[in-house]
Amino acid sequence: MTLETPVSAFYGVGEKKAAAYARMGIECARDILYHFPRAYQRRGNIKSLCDVSDAEVVSLLLTVASRPINTMVKGRMTLTKFVAFDDTGKCTVTYFNQSYLADVFKLGATFRFYGKIKVRGNRYEMSSPAYEAYFEGKPLPEFFAVYPLSEPLTQKNVKDAVKIALSGCPLEKEDVIPGNIRDKYSLPPLKKALNDIHSPADYPSLAQARKRFVFEELFTFACAVTMTKNAVHGGRAPIIPQTDTKPFLDALPYTLTAAQKRCAKDILLDLTNKDGTPMARLLSGDVGSGKTVVAALAAYICCSGGYQCALMAPTEILANQHYKDISELFSKLGIKCSLLTGSVRASARKKILAELESGETGIIIGTHALLTDTVKFANPALVITDEQHRFGVMQRAALAEKGKDLHTLVMSATPIPRTLAHIMYGDLDISQIDEMPPGRQKVDTYVVNESFRERLNAFIRKQVSEGGQVYAVCPSIESEEEEGLVGLDFCEETEQKPKMKNAVEYCDKLRAALPECRIELIHGKQSGAQKDKTMRAFAAHEIDVLVSTTVIEVGVNVPNASLMIVENAERFGLSQLHQLRGRVGRGERKSYFILVSDSESEVAKERLNVLKENSNGYKIAEADLKMRGPGDFLPHGEHRAKQHGEFTFGIANLCDDMETLTDAFACAEEILREDPDLSSGEHAPLLKAARRMYGEEMKTVN
Ligand code: ADP
Ligand code: MG
């Protein structure tokens, strides 16, 4: 067995289980080993019955005192029931629909039970507790790992697979972190760390193991980013001739703000730079600050010089929106603009590709489809990526491969504090549009709880009857998605969070409550064409209320929208909420942003108030950074399904691991100074890991 052995080759893993693993992104032994527990139950903390209190989650060492009895209840359920004891009391234990357990709990045998206990006077009861057989002199592990799962996998399935991989894979030569760095930061070697993270003997070894994997992840990330940056700086991009920008500026219905002019100047200097160093620049600015026109100007400069540009958006909706805005402007300037997304039909696609290859097309706009090999340019110079607040290192790496001799401009709508921008966009120079175009109205923001539901519905009705439109945003489509989002958690009990609203159900309820409104649902699992259709209908005011998951946050412009309601607002990052707010208040109508949260937590309330009191994205970002650390700016805090090309950290949580990130970057720089392409044998696992994280595209970066 090697780390590459597919899970389907594991004992007991058939088609269904392999598919379940695949849904969690697990394909081979390595993935199994790096599928870390999301939490640990502290089962080693054994209590005596006399010390427990009602509803407590406890670990008990009990001996079976009565033969288990199976009985039928309600005609269809089997109930298995027995009594077990310790030195201080007796407890009734019950299980449902697992009649085979009657043979497991043998009279006189001892088990460690873990679960919630019910206490009534001196009577104790446990219902369906977890259990492990206990043998005298063979202590059970202190911690019990709990893994993220996907149906029909069980905890035991994953545990068994981990065991197989751990004993079967040769790990000595696979350590991503070179020995000298491990020594310097006192990090355990791979094998020990894997053992300790999956079945920790005690808390210190678990903490050490976690520290190691956090470092490993951030270090790999740092190496990949640094290599990309070095590769980009080492490339040669077309030197664009100086162009007169007047025709472009004259075609606009407004004049640029001072901030837009400043950023445009940065870009112009990069593009026309005589030494041919490729531009690698981040254009950041609040939602509505006018990034698109600055990017369009960059494209104009290139096209006027006889070159071509690509503009890549993270979703089809956004690609369509850009196309609409930019093609209108460019048609006035005599530059051919085309749109290429997954939903373009084969015949049209052929024509678009041919026109691009012949050089007729000046700017092509699309989604990741632009990254495929069939897309060929005659004379490319600039790639613009609109990633909004996504962490786009992977897209950037893919683009770096496609055009390492191209200029790149990345647009991001997350107002990030400078220090963080440095880390997240370590491979880019930064221009910030820190000023809004004139005449923006303030969006009134309120924080309410469930008791306002009736009034909220009445308010929607009022907006709609006055001709306005409404966004209602829920954090997720299905509540099951919640599971996979929990990070590695050392707490025994997770904090009680308000139940998450499900967009599908929510939409049904809203339709029932507001039968006179046209209400539609849009979410990330719909096809691109479906989403696009709904979005167009909303833009054309054929829909009054759009219920959505966060797919709409990306740059869609519907100026008639006057109200946005965000459900489970406590689950969103402040910057994300701020971005959502930018979707309303874009037109003439007085607009409102209402955050619904039933969270009792003071911190959550305080956070939401920041939003109520501030309208400047950079201020909100700073406040969030102070209150919560950088987590919300990074994918760890994102509440959406992972999409192609999207990068997320697995174990690292930059709220806590900021310092480690700094160390990781320092180590990466040091290593790459000695071995710029990681070609030495010792660095082979690191190079492989960087490629895995960044995508195969890494291989040609150097
Ligand atoms: P974002 O930065 O969110 O991408 P957009 O580029 O979509 O912002 O711009 C938002 C709106 O502001 C657009 O309708 C655009 O036409 C308008 N706009 C951009 N720049 C200016 C400006 N200098 N003056 C007035 N309106 C502007
Ligand atoms: Mg935009």
Side-chain angles (χ1 to χ4, degrees):
M1 174 182 275
T2 71
L3 287 172
E4 267 77 35
T5 302
V7 279
S8 54
F10 277 50
Y11 178 79
V13 179
E15 220 167 274
K16 284 217 175 90
K17 283 183 181 157
Y21 277 121
R23 279 196 297 281
M24 296 191 290
I26 297 172
E27 267 153 19
C28 62
R30 174 187 295 104
D31 300 336
I32 286 275
L33 290 173
Y34 279 80
H35 185 59
F36 298 143
R38 65 169 171 83
Y40 300 86
Q41 293 169 347
R42 185 158 212 164
R43 295 193 181 176
N45 186 17
I46 307 264
K47 284 210 167 178
S48 294
L49 275 171
C50 66
D51 292 333
V52 305
S53 37
D54 186 42
E56 196 182 351
V57 174
V58 289
S59 207
L60 299 165
L61 207 55
L62 304 177
T63 303
V64 180
S66 73
R67 230 174 268 288
I69 294 172
N70 285 334
T71 44
M72 275 300 251
V73 284
K74 292 183 186 150
R76 54 196 159 80
M77 234 183 338
T78 15
L79 181 71
T80 307
K81 190 168 179 174
F82 58 93
V83 175
F85 68 98
D86 67 8
D87 291 344
T88 67
K90 277 196 286 193
C91 178
T92 306
V93 183
T94 51
Y95 290 91
F96 293 96
N97 285 336
Q98 297 173 75
S99 49
Y100 65 92
L101 289 178
D103 298 323
V104 173
F105 296 109
K106 294 212 160 37
L107 195 62
T110 301
F111 293 84
R112 181 166 78 175
F113 292 96
Y114 179 87
K116 199 183 247 187
I117 192 154
K118 203 161 111 184
V119 184
R120 295 285 175 272
N122 58 357
R123 295 160 60 105
Y124 301 95
E125 270 178 58
M126 279 186 125
S127 177
S128 303
Y131 62 91
E132 297 152 279
Y134 171 80
F135 301 100
E136 195 69 48
K138 276 189 79 180
L140 287 165
E142 171 88 8
F143 290 94
F144 183 89
V146 183
Y147 291 91
L149 293 179
S150 176
E151 289 277 323
L153 291 170
T154 63
Q155 292 293 339
K156 184 163 185 323
N157 291 153
V158 175
K159 263 173 218 203
D160 289 346
V162 167
K163 224 178 259 169
I164 293 173
L166 256 177
S167 59
C169 293
L171 295 168
E172 282 67 30
K173 290 204 157 45
E174 298 285 352
D175 205 324
V176 169
I177 313 176
N180 58 336
I181 294 180
R182 276 200 321 263
D183 292 347
K184 185 167 168 191
Y185 293 97
S186 320
L187 303 168
L190 182 60
K191 182 150 193 166
K192 174 167 170 36
L194 282 172
N195 260 312
D196 287 349
I197 203 141
H198 287 292
S199 41
D202 50 33
Y203 188 78
S205 51
L206 173 57
Q208 278 301 105
R210 181 182 183 274
K211 181 177 156 196
R212 184 221 134 91
F213 287 114
V214 168
F215 187 93
E216 175 175 328
E217 184 168 41
L218 297 176
F219 173 61
T220 307
F221 168 70
C223 284
V225 170
T226 310
M227 281 171 88
T228 304
K229 183 180 185 174
N230 293 348
V232 166
H233 283 181
R236 270 189 65 83
I239 300 164
I240 313 293
Q242 291 279 358
T243 321
D244 181 11
T245 54
K246 194 165 178 301
F248 180 91
L249 298 174
D250 286 349
L252 295 176
Y254 47 77
T255 51
L256 296 183
T257 63
Q260 283 172 319
K261 282 184 193 153
R262 191 168 27 77
C263 293
K265 199 171 156 206
D266 290 343
I267 292 168
L268 186 75
L269 284 176
D270 284 348
L271 292 174
T272 55
N273 179 357
K274 293 285 179 291
D275 73 5
T277 303
M279 169 167 80
R281 185 169 290 279
L282 172 71
L283 178 63
S284 104
D286 227 331
V287 175
S289 61
K291 293 179 291 294
T292 314
V293 67
V294 175
L297 177 55
Y300 175 76
I301 295 166
C302 292
C303 294
S304 304
Y307 290 95
Q308 291 170 298
C309 306
L311 194 164
M312 210 175 79
T315 64
E316 289 206 9
I317 299 174
L318 195 55
N320 281 309
Q321 183 101 42
H322 278 312
Y323 179 70
K324 202 173 127 254
D325 295 348
I326 289 175
S327 60
E328 204 180 295
L329 179 63
F330 276 32
S331 69
K332 289 187 210 156
L333 298 163
I335 295 170
K336 185 167 174 64
C337 179
S338 56
L339 176 71
L340 186 68
T341 61
S343 23
V344 172
R345 282 172 200 282
S347 55
R349 168 179 300 265
K350 220 168 144 184
K351 182 162 174 278
I352 291 169
L353 290 175
E355 286 169 351
L356 188 67
E357 198 165 354
S358 74
E360 193 182 335
T361 301
I363 174 164
I364 186 158
I365 297 173
T367 54
H368 300 287
L370 289 186
L371 288 181
T372 57
D373 289 335
T374 48
V375 181
K376 294 198 180 68
F377 293 78
N379 207 8
L382 168 67
V383 177
I384 302 165
T385 319
D386 187 352
E387 66 184 34
Q388 298 290 332
H389 73 286
R390 268 158 219 269
F391 203 37
V393 277
M394 275 176 56
Q395 284 103 319
R396 290 206 292 281
L399 286 166
E401 132 77 2
K402 199 152 188 72
K404 61 181 156 183
D405 300 323
L406 294 179
H407 298 288
T408 56
L409 182 67
V410 178
M411 290 191 274
S412 164
T414 313
I416 334 164
R418 277 245 170 213
T419 43
L420 271 183
H422 222 76
I423 290 163
M424 288 177 64
Y425 297 98
D427 52 340
L428 304 174
D429 297 320
I430 298 173
S431 297
Q432 286 181 337
I433 308 185
D434 50 10
E435 173 188 5
M436 295 299 261
R440 273 306 143 92
Q441 52 150 303
K442 188 174 166 293
V443 176
D444 284 356
T445 301
Y446 301 92
V447 183
V448 304
N449 61 21
E450 198 54 43
S451 72
F452 283 73
R453 185 61 61 194
E454 278 303 308
R455 270 179 278 178
L456 213 50
N457 286 344
F459 195 54
I460 296 177
R461 201 175 287 129
K462 178 162 177 286
Q463 292 294 320
V464 170
S465 72
E466 289 171 359
Q469 283 168 279
V470 180
Y471 290 108
V473 182
C474 300
S476 164
I477 337 166
E478 296 163 54
S479 34
E480 290 84 45
E481 277 187 17
E482 202 175 353
E483 253 256 311
L485 294 171
V486 187
L488 183 72
D489 184 356
F490 290 100
C491 307
E492 283 174 51
E493 294 307 312
T494 46
E495 178 196 350
Q496 285 290 315
K497 285 189 183 136
K499 194 170 157 12
M500 180 139 76
K501 296 203 178 72
N502 159 330
V504 180
E505 263 172 40
Y506 179 85
C507 183
D508 291 341
K509 272 195 199 147
L510 212 55
R511 280 179 179 145
L514 303 165
E516 70 275 35
C517 298
R518 296 166 297 176
I519 303 175
E520 291 300 333
L521 176 67
I522 188 169
H523 60 69
K525 286 195 179 162
Q526 291 168 337
S527 70
Q530 172 70 41
K531 280 187 282 199
D532 201 44
K533 192 173 150 234
T534 310
M535 214 50 236
R536 275 176 208 271
F538 188 64
H541 201 167
E542 290 154 17
I543 294 172
D544 300 312
V545 182
L546 185 67
V547 176
S548 76
T549 55
T550 45
V551 281
I552 51 118
E553 84 195 71
V554 273
V556 178
N557 193 17
V558 180
N560 192 48
S562 51
L563 167 63
M564 179 179 285
I565 296 168
V566 182
E567 301 287 342
N568 289 104
E570 72 283 349
R571 289 182 177 265
F572 293 83
L574 286 191
S575 286
Q576 201 181 3
L577 286 172
H578 174 66
Q579 273 192 306
L580 285 169
R581 178 165 60 185
R583 300 293 128 220
V584 291
R586 298 193 141 210
E588 301 299 311
R589 287 177 191 281
K590 171 76 201 139
S591 297
Y592 305 87
F593 186 59
I594 303 183
L595 301 166
V596 186
S597 173
D598 281 327
S599 176
E600 296 293 323
S601 136
E602 283 307 313
V603 182
K605 286 181 190 165
E606 203 184 320
R607 288 180 67 236
L608 296 179
N609 270 326
V610 168
L611 219 62
K612 195 170 140 183
E613 279 148 26
N614 290 283
S615 56
N616 180 312
Y618 287 94
K619 282 215 182 95
I620 291 169
E622 296 285 355
D624 208 15
L625 183 65
K626 273 208 198 90
M627 292 173 79
R628 299 237 307 182
D632 277 345
F633 300 98
L634 299 156
H636 194 82
E638 282 189 20
H639 299 286
R640 70 163 73 79
K642 203 167 163 169
Q643 300 198 353
H644 168 75
E646 193 169 336
F647 174 83
T648 54
F649 284 118
I651 188 172
N653 168 359
L654 295 186
C655 287
D656 309 326
D657 303 322
M658 196 68 183
E659 224 170 283
T660 311
L661 186 67
T662 313
D663 290 342
F665 266 90
C667 287
E669 258 163 48
E670 201 180 305
I671 281 211
L672 292 169
R673 214 174 299 127
E674 302 285 311
D675 183 10
D677 52 4
L678 299 179
S679 57
S680 90
E682 191 203 359
H683 297 148
L686 175 58
L687 180 61
K688 270 198 279 177
R691 278 185 187 154
R692 273 196 306 276
M693 184 181 268
Y694 238 58
E696 272 310 302
E697 294 82 4
M698 272 268 316
K699 64 175 167 261
T700 41
V701 166
N702 282 282

